[in-house]
Amino acid sequence: MDVLTIVLATVLYWPLYWPSFIQIVKWPHHIADTTTSSLSSIRHASKKAGGSTKNPKGRPKGKHRGIKKVDGHWVSSGTIIVRQLGLDYHPGLNVGIGRDRTLFAKEHGRVLMTTEKVNPNWDNKFIKRFYAELKDQQKIPIFKTYFHVIPEEQHRNFKLVDQI
């Protein structure tokens, strides 16, 4: 068997003959360098394997809606209490409503949540938009959650600076 036959046999049947091939054949120096380097080369990945994701690119980011401050939390004026898409929660005492129906505190104080009976004005366009399906059922009471801000009492220690 000449060297060329062994090289061809090794390349074609490499997984079968590799262990015995190393021990039996003595290579000429110039062939051993080229053949063994091509036989022992390993192909590495050029890119990292891409795994699956639960939040793909095409989906919009979350809007972070919901109740931000609950019953008993202390808030300063301007603090957002609720972000909402519809009108699930209503503004109460010292609470304002924004253009996107965000409820915010108008005064410093503690948040109070109550569930109250609603008697809507059916002529209002705002009420028509959100409660149109309930207009026919006027005898059934509507209960909604209201957010109030109860102001903290100010301290009563005042220092007289000037008298008129």
Side-chain angles (χ1 to χ4, degrees):
M1 246 199 213
D2 62 323
V3 173
L4 185 60
T5 310
I6 293 173
V7 170
L8 288 173
T10 305
V11 172
L12 294 174
Y13 304 106
W14 174 61
L16 300 174
Y17 294 110
W18 181 252
S20 60
F21 175 73
I22 294 174
Q23 296 172 356
I24 297 172
V25 177
K26 294 185 179 179
W27 287 89
H29 182 68
H30 65 284
I31 296 175
D33 290 340
T34 59
T35 310
T36 55
S37 64
S38 65
L39 291 177
S40 65
S41 66
I42 299 171
R43 181 173 176 241
H44 295 285
S46 60
K47 298 213 183 271
K48 184 180 173 186
S52 64
T53 177
K54 291 183 179 179
N55 193 12
K57 266 186 184 176
R59 295 181 54 128
K61 291 192 291 187
K63 302 295 183 243
H64 306 290
R65 292 190 185 107
I67 298 174
K68 306 299 179 193
K69 303 291 180 186
V70 293
D71 206 9
H73 278 207
W74 188 89
V75 292
S76 57
S77 76
T79 303
I80 293 175
I81 300 171
V82 177
R83 281 204 183 272
Q84 56 188 344
L85 185 60
L87 194 60
D88 297 329
Y89 306 104
H90 291 262
L93 180 68
N94 297 323
V95 175
I97 186 166
R99 288 185 311 161
D100 60 348
R101 294 175 289 280
T102 297
L103 302 184
F104 60 91
K106 289 183 175 178
E107 298 283 332
H108 302 299
R110 297 238 174 245
V111 175
L112 176 69
M113 294 172 59
T114 59
T115 302
E116 301 174 16
K117 184 178 176 181
V118 178
N119 189 12
N121 177 11
W122 296 108
D123 298 329
N124 189 329
K125 66 175 185 175
F126 202 69
I127 298 298
K128 285 180 185 177
R129 180 188 301 173
F130 291 106
Y131 298 113
E133 69 274 359
L134 299 175
K135 187 173 181 179
D136 300 331
Q137 306 169 0
Q138 290 184 7
K139 294 180 181 176
I140 300 173
I142 302 169
F143 289 97
K144 285 292 181 178
T145 304
Y146 281 81
F147 279 85
H148 309 280
V149 174
I150 308 301
E152 296 285 325
E153 278 194 52
Q154 293 186 356
H155 57 83
R156 297 181 186 227
N157 300 332
F158 296 101
K159 183 177 179 183
L160 184 61
V161 178
D162 193 18
Q163 190 170 6
I164 299 177

